[in-house]
Amino acid sequence: MHIPDNYLSPSTCAAMGAAMVPVWTIAVKKVKEEVSKVKIPLLGIGAAFSFLMMMFNVPLPGGTTGHAVGGTLIAILLGPFSACISVTVALLIQALMFGDGGILAFGANCFNMAFVLPFIGYFIYKFIKDRVKSEKGEYIGIILASYFGINIAALCAAIEFGIQPVLFKNPAGQPLYSPYALGVSIPAMTIPHLLVAGIVEALFTVVIFAFIKKVSPGTIYEGAKKKTKAIYGLIIALICLTPLGLLATGTAWGEWGADEIKDVLTGGKSLGFVPEGMKNGFNFESIMPDYTIGGLPEIAGYILSAVAGVAILIILFKIIGSIKKSKPGSNNE
């Protein structure tokens, strides 16, 4: 679901970035007003969960791969505005350090995964939970919310891909950017997410929510016990398990490099050309591309990338929490 650079036109990227500006502005304002100084580090923990969940690639029908995002999980735990900020920062670290998702396409990726996914997921969860007032209702809400949240986000990404060949062509009529129209991009993105990725997202969300509810209910409910050590233990366990994400082979749909897209098969036919926008487009060299470290085995590089990403996110939000001013009369609770 991470759209690389040069799949969307610069004008599309600019429009998606502009669409996110008011979302980020309101989210920052809401978090500053509603999240206390001591709870800001929880946004870093939420971002770490999202970062790690996105490292567990799973094979999808059609020979591609996908992953969970965790946006609905963070929205349920901390609220949708906090989720928007947490996933945005996780996506930023992924793009800058690991080349996962484009720099120009950052606004589009945030629109899909940091805005649409957590807000849709949160409101579905709230709608169900408010009407089925039981633990069973809570978990039904979590499953449906996380499943539909990621699927609607995937649909948005498919539409962004699919409008490119309609709007941007060279004089010969060849697409300049993503070459696949809506008739291809929508089923290619949505069917694998409906069949597999949505289920993985729901599974991750339910398991992690149930774990946190059991070991640290204060993270979810005001006044209950909060045991962050147990949550950090889960994060360490997930880091150790991230190499499982390497078992899935193949490239995620819409994330092919310029060196491989001409050979991608669609309906039994290869594309046969490299869109000019991809061939001559923006190129950014990340520090640890594809979660690898030069000279190290792939598994070691993947684990160290997970450690680095999680450490940056948790430390960053701890620093933000330390400089946030306490409200007058607040006991920082």
Side-chain angles (χ1 to χ4, degrees):
M1 192 154 347
H2 293 72
I3 301 174
D5 281 327
N6 308 320
Y7 271 82
L8 305 181
S9 72
S11 56
T12 305
C13 292
M16 299 304 294
M20 279 304 296
V21 170
V23 176
W24 285 323
T25 303
I26 295 171
V28 169
K29 185 179 178 183
K30 287 281 187 181
V31 168
K32 286 174 70 175
E33 290 176 352
E34 298 175 1
V35 180
S36 67
K37 180 181 174 77
V38 295
K39 287 188 175 179
I40 289 292
L42 291 178
L43 272 68
I45 292 175
F49 274 124
S50 179
F51 182 90
L52 291 171
M53 288 167 72
M54 288 190 261
M55 292 188 75
F56 286 89
N57 295 313
V58 295
L60 298 181
T64 61
T65 62
H67 56 71
V69 175
T72 300
L73 170 69
I74 308 171
I76 293 170
L77 294 174
L78 305 172
F81 292 103
S82 295
C84 179
I85 298 298
S86 291
V87 178
T88 292
V89 177
L91 292 173
L92 181 64
I93 298 300
Q94 288 177 327
L96 291 176
M97 286 195 64
F98 306 104
D100 197 6
I103 301 299
L104 297 180
F106 179 65
N109 285 323
C110 287
F111 182 87
N112 302 330
M113 290 185 275
F115 173 50
V116 171
L117 195 164
F119 277 86
I120 292 287
Y122 179 78
F123 288 115
I124 291 175
Y125 164 75
K126 191 88 169 45
F127 179 84
I128 296 173
K129 185 173 180 294
D130 289 347
R131 284 157 181 78
V132 186
K133 296 184 181 300
S134 65
E135 188 176 51
K136 183 179 178 181
E138 183 175 46
Y139 280 99
I140 290 173
I142 292 170
I143 292 169
L144 294 179
S146 51
Y147 179 79
F148 284 106
I150 194 170
N151 274 291
I152 294 173
L155 175 62
C156 290
I159 293 171
E160 291 152 21
F161 282 127
I163 62 174
Q164 300 305 306
V166 178
L167 298 177
F168 307 102
K169 299 177 181 178
N170 65 13
Q174 280 189 338
L176 288 170
Y177 305 100
S178 172
Y180 300 109
L182 292 168
V184 174
S185 65
I186 290 180
M189 284 292 291
T190 57
I191 292 175
H193 279 80
L194 286 166
L195 295 177
V196 179
I199 296 171
V200 174
E201 176 86 2
L203 186 63
F204 261 113
T205 303
V206 166
V207 170
I208 295 176
F209 178 87
F211 177 83
I212 293 175
K213 184 177 179 179
K214 182 176 181 180
V215 303
S216 181
T219 304
I220 305 171
Y221 309 111
E222 291 289 341
K225 289 184 178 179
K226 190 185 296 179
K227 296 182 179 178
T228 51
K229 284 184 179 179
I231 296 176
Y232 283 124
L234 177 59
I235 288 174
I236 292 170
L238 288 174
I239 288 173
C240 294
L241 292 172
T242 51
L244 292 174
L246 294 169
L247 296 176
T249 57
T251 305
W253 198 92
E255 297 185 22
W256 304 283
D259 58 335
E260 55 185 340
I261 191 168
K262 68 178 180 181
D263 297 320
V264 172
L265 295 174
T266 303
K269 291 184 178 179
S270 62
L271 183 63
F273 69 96
V274 181
E276 289 179 27
M278 293 184 65
K279 194 188 303 180
N280 306 312
F282 177 75
N283 187 33
F284 173 78
E285 294 292 334
S286 60
I287 302 169
M288 300 157 71
D290 297 326
Y291 306 95
T292 59
I293 298 176
L296 287 181
E298 192 176 32
I299 291 176
Y302 212 63
I303 292 175
L304 287 176
S305 296
V307 171
V310 166
I312 290 171
L313 291 166
I314 290 178
I315 292 170
L316 179 63
F317 278 98
K318 278 184 177 292
I319 292 172
I320 295 172
S322 69
I323 61 178
K324 177 179 167 63
K325 294 180 180 177
S326 300
K327 292 181 179 179
S330 170
N331 60 1
N332 286 336
E333 292 299 323

